[in-house]
Amino acid sequence: EAQFDLMVAVHLKGTFLLTQALLPLINDGGSILNVSSGLTRFALPGYAAYAAMKGGVEVMTRYLAKELGPRGIRANVIAPGAVATDFGGGAVRDNAELNAFVAAQTALGRVGQADDIGTVMASLLSDDHRWVNAQRIEASGGMFL
């Protein structure tokens, strides 16, 4: 239960309260980009609680888009697939068997890198995407198609 409560606090409550605290600082016409997970689209055993929190973030993002629309603030959510980072103790990065499994399940034939996600995030926050609002954008290289 303590682990579940920590997940709620970090992934859902933290996102909500941080957004609430920053709203007075976000300029009209600004942008919010929340982070979800590919695990809201596909199911892997052992990730139900985490995926539920990220699903909540996706719903919250749609509400933010609707509620902040009058200020011209758009809200979207990016859902990365497996990325070779420290997440999960670095398992995707450091476990060769897991890395190979993920790569085999991804249309582009490899696991994601931090720069793969960062460039999508920067693009979504730019004015080039000023008409993209209330969307879940998956950046997974085509994982589990």
Side-chain angles (χ1 to χ4, degrees), residues 63-110:
Y63 273 83
L64 288 170
K66 181 72 169 179
E67 292 172 2
L68 300 175
R71 287 186 52 195
I73 295 173
R74 54 199 171 85
N76 293 292
V77 61
I78 186 170
V83 181
T85 65
D86 291 340
F87 181 80
V92 173
R93 179 192 62 216
D94 301 336
N95 180 322
E97 186 177 310
L98 178 58
N99 190 293
F101 170 77
V102 169
Q105 304 306 316
T106 304
L108 293 179
R110 64 175 178 82

Side-chain angles (χ1 to χ4, degrees), residues 8-96:
V8 170
V10 171
H11 297 290
L12 189 56
K13 184 178 180 181
T15 301
F16 182 89
L17 293 178
L18 179 63
T19 303
Q20 189 177 50
L22 292 176
L23 274 176
L25 304 174
I26 298 175
N27 292 332
D28 290 355
S31 182
I32 294 169
L33 182 60
N34 287 321
V35 179
S36 182
S37 170
L39 290 163
T40 61
R41 180 179 58 84
F42 53 83
L44 291 177
Y47 292 95
Y50 176 76
M53 302 311 138
K54 293 304 189 174
V57 169
E58 291 184 13
V59 171
M60 179 177 63
T61 301
R62 287 194 303 272
Y63 273 83
L64 288 170
K66 181 72 169 179
E67 292 172 2
L68 300 175
R71 287 186 52 195
I73 295 173
R74 54 199 171 85
N76 293 292
V77 61
I78 186 170
V83 181
T85 65
D86 291 340
F87 181 80
V92 173
R93 179 192 62 216
D94 301 336
N95 180 322

Side-chain angles (χ1 to χ4, degrees), residues 78-143:
I78 186 170
V83 181
T85 65
D86 291 340
F87 181 80
V92 173
R93 179 192 62 216
D94 301 336
N95 180 322
E97 186 177 310
L98 178 58
N99 190 293
F101 170 77
V102 169
Q105 304 306 316
T106 304
L108 293 179
R110 64 175 178 82
V111 301
Q113 300 297 315
D115 285 349
D116 294 326
I117 307 308
T119 54
V120 175
M121 293 177 92
S123 179
L124 287 169
L125 290 166
S126 76
D127 284 342
D128 290 344
H129 290 91
R130 66 185 168 273
W131 198 238
V132 177
N133 193 25
Q135 299 303 303
R136 176 192 184 277
I137 309 297
E138 184 163 322
S140 70
M143 190 172 179

